[in-house]
Amino acid sequence: MIEEKWYIVFGRFLKEYRFTGLLFLLFSCIFTAIFSLYELELEAVWYSVLLCLLAAIPILGIRFHFYYKLHQERQKICNSIEFSFEQLPTAFTLAEQDYQQMVKLLGKKNAEHLTEWESNKQESLDYYTTWVHQIKTPISVMQMILQGEDTKEHRELSAELFRIEQYVEMVLTYLRLGSETTDFMFKQQPLDPIIKQAIHKYAPQFIRKRIRLRYESTDLTVLTDEKWLLFIIEQILSNAIKYTMQGEITITVTKEKVLQIQDTGIGIAAEDLPRIFEKGFTGYNGRSDKKSTGLGLYLCKQAAKKLSITINAESVPKQGTMFYINLHTDKLEVE
């Protein structure tokens, strides 16, 4: 909050005590009227009024000094991220005591609701974590059954089952990113094995769609969390495969630690490009495809923020899209 100028506070001080001033003026008028009715000298009234005003000036000055000081204390509390109720200024009036009591009661209620909300959130996370691990078992069994016979129908079913597994993992990722206890483990990681894990996972999709992959191994190491960086690469690779009908996908790593994933797919409309990382945004291609959830790139962006890296994209409709993942992390240090 911006600190107010003293003269603005003084104007509010005068406004707050305006009824006291009006009362003094009323009393002065009453005395003047009575002296006039009895035909007494009015000089005594005006002299008394003047003396009262002269006495009121230093008193008002002292009162304003404490008024302004209390205002500054309250502003400091408002500017603090967190404060305890013991930091509240001393209540000098009954009204201030009432307001402080209301604030304390509201704070207590808010703390109770926050504790309940955190408990419910943790229960939901635990439930979905258990559910994801349980649902993976029948998915794995179905994949093994489908691998028993190599037919076109079985390959198509395997591809759809693979998509189900992706959506299941996305649910867990969505919950984990919103959790305060997300299990990030930062250390120097060789980049090549992480990229190859993602490639291996999507190898059947490359084969099924007959998409060529171009990638040259890299010996770079990056300071990151392996699991979450792998998630980002997998999501971008998944989108590249989904929207590339033919052609190739190229993965390159520059000396500046920028990971580039380029495809020759349908591309992204210019008006959609600035919003692709928004939650739930699918864009024209996502709506026409009717298979996009609008969560994949959103989760990538959130994970990138946690990893202190940047991610952006360039695209030309009907020619392809290039994603840039800048893995240079100045802010992170190995503990």
Side-chain angles (χ1 to χ4, degrees):
M1 296 178 67
I2 300 174
E3 186 177 350
E4 293 179 315
K5 301 294 184 181
W6 71 268
Y7 50 83
I8 297 176
V9 179
F10 183 69
R12 295 187 177 184
F13 172 77
L14 292 177
K15 185 178 180 181
E16 188 172 327
Y17 286 92
R18 64 186 182 278
F19 293 110
T20 304
L22 291 173
L23 191 62
F24 177 79
L25 182 61
L26 177 62
F27 289 162
S28 300
C29 293
I30 290 173
F31 275 98
T32 302
I34 292 174
F35 271 56
S36 298
L37 289 174
Y38 283 91
E39 297 181 353
L40 300 175
E41 294 290 336
L42 295 179
E43 289 183 7
V45 178
W46 299 119
Y47 186 68
S48 300
V49 170
L50 181 60
L51 287 176
C52 289
L53 287 174
L54 290 174
I57 290 174
I59 294 173
L60 287 173
I62 295 171
R63 182 72 187 92
F64 175 70
H65 170 73
F66 288 106
Y67 181 90
Y68 186 61
K69 187 177 180 180
L70 285 171
H71 171 70
Q72 288 181 314
E73 289 180 10
R74 291 190 293 267
Q75 288 296 103
K76 286 180 182 178
I77 293 172
C78 291
N79 290 332
S80 301
I81 297 175
E82 294 180 356
F83 69 93
S84 62
F85 294 116
E86 288 74 19
Q87 292 178 286
L88 289 171
T90 304
F92 293 103
T93 65
L94 182 61
E96 289 179 349
Q97 290 178 3
D98 292 339
Y99 285 129
Q100 287 194 9
Q101 186 178 5
M102 284 188 270
V103 169
K104 290 176 181 179
L105 288 173
L106 286 172
K108 183 179 178 182
K109 288 289 184 183
N110 181 63
E112 290 174 356
H113 289 311
L114 182 60
T115 302
E116 183 181 357
W117 176 80
E118 288 178 344
S119 176
N120 292 336
K121 185 177 180 181
Q122 187 59 45
E123 286 179 4
S124 297
L125 179 59
D126 293 340
Y127 170 78
Y128 283 109
T129 302
T130 304
W131 179 83
V132 167
H133 290 302
Q134 289 177 337
I135 204 69
K136 280 184 176 181
T137 301
I139 289 175
S140 299
V141 172
M142 285 187 282
Q143 286 175 337
M144 291 178 63
I145 294 172
L146 290 173
Q147 288 173 0
E149 188 175 347
D150 187 19
T151 64
K152 182 179 179 181
E153 183 181 16
H154 280 60
R155 288 194 294 270
E156 292 299 322
L157 287 172
S158 294
E160 294 303 316
L161 197 58
F162 180 77
R163 288 182 57 212
I164 292 173
E165 188 176 19
Q166 280 186 291
Y167 292 143
V168 168
E169 291 178 354
M170 195 178 293
V171 170
L172 187 58
T173 302
Y174 180 79
L175 292 170
R176 281 178 173 171
L177 279 174
S179 173
E180 296 296 328
T181 57
T182 304
D183 53 342
F184 285 94
M185 294 181 62
F186 293 100
K187 64 179 182 179
Q188 291 289 349
Q189 301 275 4
L191 185 57
D192 189 65
I194 300 176
I195 296 173
K196 286 181 177 177
Q197 280 187 66
I199 292 172
H200 177 75
K201 180 177 179 178
Y202 287 93
Q205 307 302 314
F206 279 101
I207 296 170
R208 186 177 69 87
K209 296 189 73 174
R210 294 183 174 85
I211 298 172
R212 188 185 306 110
L213 172 67
R214 294 183 182 275
Y215 171 64
E216 293 184 5
S217 298
T218 177
D219 57 357
L220 286 177
T221 61
V222 292
L223 181 57
T224 189
D225 177 276
E226 179 182 0
K227 179 179 68 179
W228 289 100
L229 178 58
L230 177 62
F231 169 78
I232 294 173
I233 297 173
E234 285 179 351
Q235 286 299 312
I236 295 175
L237 204 55
S238 172
N239 279 6
I241 295 171
K242 182 191 299 183
Y243 295 110
T244 301
M245 302 302 111
Q246 59 181 2
E248 62 183 27
I249 293 174
T250 305
I251 302 175
T252 55
V253 182
T254 68
K255 294 181 180 179
E256 292 76 22
K257 295 186 178 181
V258 177
L259 174 60
Q260 302 174 346
I261 301 177
Q262 183 177 17
D263 63 61
T264 57
I266 60 177
I268 303 169
E271 62 272 18
D272 291 339
L273 193 60
R275 300 185 59 192
I276 59 174
F277 296 107
E278 291 182 12
K279 183 178 180 181
F281 182 76
T282 56
Y284 175 78
N285 292 335
R287 289 190 293 270
S288 61
D289 181 65
K290 297 184 180 182
K291 295 179 182 178
S292 177
T293 61
L295 282 179
L297 290 180
Y298 165 77
L299 294 175
C300 286
K301 193 71 170 181
Q302 298 307 306
K305 288 180 181 178
K306 299 279 188 179
L307 296 176
S308 191
I309 62 178
T310 59
I311 175 173
N312 51 67
E314 294 177 355
S315 184
V316 178
K318 298 181 180 180
Q319 292 186 27
T321 303
M322 170 86 85
F323 276 90
Y324 301 91
I325 306 173
N326 191 338
L327 300 170
H328 187 72
T329 52
D330 290 329
K331 299 179 182 179
L332 298 178
E333 295 181 359
V334 179
E335 297 183 356

